[in-house]
Amino acid sequence: MSNIDYNEIENLPKLAKSDFESAVTADDLAKLKTKYFGDNSVLVMSSKAIGGLSVEEKPKAGKVLGAARAAINELFDAATEAVKINEEALQYATEFEDMTTPVEFLKQKYNVTPIDFDGAVHPINGIINEIQTFFRNVGWTIGDGPEVEATEFNFDKLNFGKDHPARQMQDTFYIEKSSGTNPTDQKIPDQKIDENQTDVNEKLVMRTHTSPVQARALKTHGVPLYIAVPGKVYRTDELDATHTPVFHQCEGLAIDKDLTMADLKGVLELFAKAMFGEDAKTRLRPSYFPFTEPSAELDVWYPNKKGGAGWIEWGGCGMVNENVLTNCGVDPKEYRGFAFGVGIERTLILRHNINDMHDIVEGDVRFSNQLGLGVL
Ligand code: PHE
């Protein structure tokens, strides 16, 4: 008497196919493994039953069972692969972190300053981000340049006379090139300076302003050029409530065929509004810089100024001096333009009524948090 249900065995792969194809998780797969290959499965029970079959029937049963097992094994392997892919996709989806998501500033989220925050953006970096966004929005390029700079770029190409007072040791950090023999000497890394752009025997300084990037950008990019360069600058000041020897400026340079001082005024007006709000406006007062002619001091009218609305000095500007253009290989008969430089600490201090430069320099996250720069 045969214990083998040939019909059931022959139908098994069909049944298994729909079962295995609907398996999604490793758990589904484990259950199906028990169902089809476990002790009570049709395959295992039938194999056991073969022992009790007649000699004539055994080969037939073995063949039918073998075929079913092979088919189901194949389905199982395919399902294992599919489940693996599926679980990986699931893992990637749940573990995925979008590294490009902008940080969420607490102030924007709650309009309050909560105690709990994970960290904070430094106020200088926060405002540099704003400055970069503004200039990108008006179609300008953002650039940078070395902080250890050749006097050629910091002064000479910018039309500073050989005896200009700004070159004096009192204002400028000069850098001594090390012979390299004393191991405690800090060797100035030569790669900081583009050797093609400078005479290696030149004296090096910590750049005293971002204006040397005017000359570098003109050499690198040529004309027409619209570029903004926020960056660190150095002067031999003591750190106190209103000074710091390391501070930041943002340089602007636009060179094209028909630029006038009206274009300069227009950009500055927009820039001031972006930094200080819609009611801010700008004014230019005649001044002197070796690298611009005419030159002007830039004042901003800031309605929320501590002690009442008023004009505050914000930076310097002017039409780029023809000598600078010539020094940088630009024909001043064909191209001309304007430049400006504003102090970034100054912008922060004015905008947020900050009383002490130490607060900006120290980088305490609680201070950033007060400015709404805490990050969740
Ligand atoms: N470099 C000048 C300074 O540091 C500012 C400035 C930049 C003036 C560009 C004119 C044009 O004071």
Side-chain angles (χ1 to χ4, degrees), residues 208-211 214 235 249 251-252 289 291-292 316-318 339-341:
T208 55
H209 53 174
T210 42
S211 299
Q214 289 186 25
R235 287 186 202 168
Q249 292 185 331
E251 194 78 10
F289 298 100
F291 38 95
T292 46
C317 62
F340 56 86

Side-chain angles (χ1 to χ4, degrees), residues 78-269:
T80 307
E81 189 58 28
V83 164
K84 190 174 141 220
I85 291 169
N86 198 44
E87 297 237 305
E88 270 175 9
L90 203 73
Q91 185 191 358
Y92 292 149
T94 50
E95 283 181 0
F96 177 72
E97 290 253 13
D98 184 357
M99 305 306 276
T100 64
T101 308
V103 290
E104 209 171 343
F105 292 115
L106 294 173
K107 197 169 167 190
Q108 288 164 9
K109 194 167 184 204
Y110 301 111
N111 205 24
V112 291
T113 310
I115 309 295
D116 292 326
F117 53 97
D118 285 346
V121 172
H122 192 280
I124 294 289
N125 291 339
I127 200 162
I128 285 178
N129 284 342
E130 286 179 47
I131 292 172
Q132 290 180 337
T133 302
F134 168 78
F135 282 104
R136 288 202 175 103
N137 284 347
V138 293
W140 290 35
T141 302
I142 305 298
D144 64 4
E147 291 168 24
V148 179
E149 183 56 285
T151 48
E152 181 193 351
F153 282 90
N154 199 77
F155 297 127
D156 300 332
K157 281 201 180 341
L158 296 178
N159 199 38
F160 279 82
K162 285 279 174 218
D163 49 3
H164 192 282
R167 292 183 186 244
Q168 295 302 301
M169 304 296 268
Q170 300 94 282
D171 294 318
T172 307
F173 285 113
Y174 277 86
I175 297 223
E176 231 175 80
K177 272 201 169 181
S178 160
S179 62
T181 49
N182 180 350
T184 59
D185 276 355
Q186 278 289 310
K187 193 161 165 41
I188 302 309
D190 284 340
Q191 68 270 22
K192 270 277 188 190
I193 300 291
D194 181 347
E195 301 273 335
N196 296 326
Q197 289 202 3
T198 188
D199 170 354
V200 285
N201 295 317
E202 264 301 335
K203 273 195 172 150
L204 295 176
V205 296
M206 299 308 290
R207 66 177 177 192
T208 55
H209 53 174
T210 42
S211 299
V213 184
Q214 289 186 25
R216 288 190 174 273
L218 280 173
K219 284 210 140 196
T220 310
H221 302 292
V223 285
L225 181 63
Y226 294 81
I227 193 165
V229 183
K232 271 197 187 76
V233 300
Y234 301 79
R235 287 186 202 168
T236 55
D237 283 322
E238 294 287 331
L239 176 64
D240 63 23
T242 52
H243 296 88
T244 158
V246 184
F247 56 106
H248 298 74
Q249 292 185 331
C250 180
E251 194 78 10
L253 175 72
I255 306 289
D256 211 329
K257 295 218 157 155
D258 304 306
L259 292 175
T260 69
M261 218 138 172
D263 298 299
L264 167 62
K265 180 80 163 81
V267 170
L268 292 175
E269 191 84 4

